[in-house]
């Protein structure tokens, strides 16, 4: 949280956010039903015959999203997308305007269940040449742009997500990990060493 606030001082967290979270890794989350309906209608009304045909098939138009890291307690639901060398996907198969960040935020909002939804990225390189840096900063400065891409979601919640967007750097997180006391578990120490090597 300290690293996220350093990159985005506007972050606003609800009471209870500091309760120890449950951590889940690489969990698949289905596309929201509201997006699925809207996407089928868009595809069915398009001039693209492949899209029209695909909209009539029972299989979901958009597959499940794999969320790299989920942190949750009774107050917050945090989705983290982790990148080492790669950038975000800027489109999906049947929606050329739907980037990976919007897709993950849509799933986040669908799963929040009354908790404050938060989306952060964990990256090695936060340079301006990265699409994720540009997209996150654009949505944070222009919440209405994110609202326009998620018209089926409550505008207030979308605005809250936009306000709390942040980029965390692997280097900063790894430095915290390396400064912890040595662990009796040899596997944990190997993981720390590998993390340091990769970064």
């Amino acid at each position: 949280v300290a690293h996220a606030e350093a990159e985005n001082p506007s972050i606003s967290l609800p009471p209870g956010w500091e309760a120890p979270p449950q951590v889940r890794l690489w969990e698949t989350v289905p596309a929201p039903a509201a997006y699925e309906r809207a996407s089928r209608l868009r595809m069915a009304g398009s001039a693209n015959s492949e899209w029209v045909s695909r909209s009539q098939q029972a299989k979901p138009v958009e597959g499940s999203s794999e969320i790299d890291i989920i942190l949750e307690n009774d107050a917050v639901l945090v989705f983290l997308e982790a990148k080492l060398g790669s950038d975000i996907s800027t489109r999906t198969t049947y929606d050329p305007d739907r980037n990976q960040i919007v897709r993950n935020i849509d799933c986040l909002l669908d799963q929040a269940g009354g908790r404050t939804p938060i989306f952060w990225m964990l990256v090695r390189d936060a340079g301006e040449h990265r699409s994720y840096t540009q997209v996150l900063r654009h949505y944070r400065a222009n919440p209405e742009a994110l609202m326009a891409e998620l018209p089926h979601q409550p505008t207030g919640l979308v605005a809250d997500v936009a306000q709390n967007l942040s980029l965390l750097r692997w280097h900063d997180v790894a430095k915290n990990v390396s400064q912890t006391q040595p662990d009796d578990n040899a596997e944990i120490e190997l993981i720390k060493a590998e993390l340091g090597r990769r970064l």
Side-chain angles (χ1 to χ4, degrees), residues 68-181:
D68 294 328
I69 305 166
I70 297 176
L71 306 173
E72 63 178 328
N73 59 24
D74 290 340
V76 297
L77 177 64
V78 182
F79 279 13
L80 285 112
E81 175 67 22
K83 298 288 188 187
L84 268 177
S86 62
D87 211 324
I88 58 167
S89 301
T90 56
R91 55 178 293 149
T92 64
T93 304
Y94 297 107
D95 192 342
D97 297 323
R98 186 166 165 90
N99 65 59
Q100 188 177 9
I101 290 173
V102 167
R103 180 176 174 168
N104 286 358
I105 289 173
D106 202 4
C107 291
L108 166 68
L109 290 165
D110 201 52
Q111 300 287 318
R115 296 169 292 181
T116 297
I118 296 171
F119 181 78
W120 292 339
M121 290 197 67
L122 186 57
V123 301
R124 179 161 56 185
D125 175 10
E128 289 296 332
H129 64 286
R130 290 291 193 178
S131 294
Y132 52 70
T133 301
Q134 297 171 31
V135 170
L136 244 63
R137 291 186 178 158
H138 174 67
Y139 290 151
R140 199 162 67 199
N142 306 280
E144 65 281 358
L146 186 57
M147 292 175 198
E149 296 195 42
L150 296 168
H152 51 280
Q153 294 287 3
T155 56
L157 282 180
V158 176
D160 290 344
V161 171
Q163 177 184 348
N164 287 328
L165 291 170
S166 191
L167 287 168
L168 292 81
R169 292 188 318 139
W170 275 106
H171 176 78
D172 296 326
V173 174
K175 187 161 55 171
N176 282 18
V177 170
S178 67
Q179 291 172 351
T180 60
Q181 292 296 319

Side-chain angles (χ1 to χ4, degrees), residues 3-22:
H3 292 309
E5 289 177 329
E7 198 272 332
N8 176 11
S10 299
I11 284 176
S12 176
L13 299 174
W17 70 264
E18 64 282 316
Q22 290 184 337

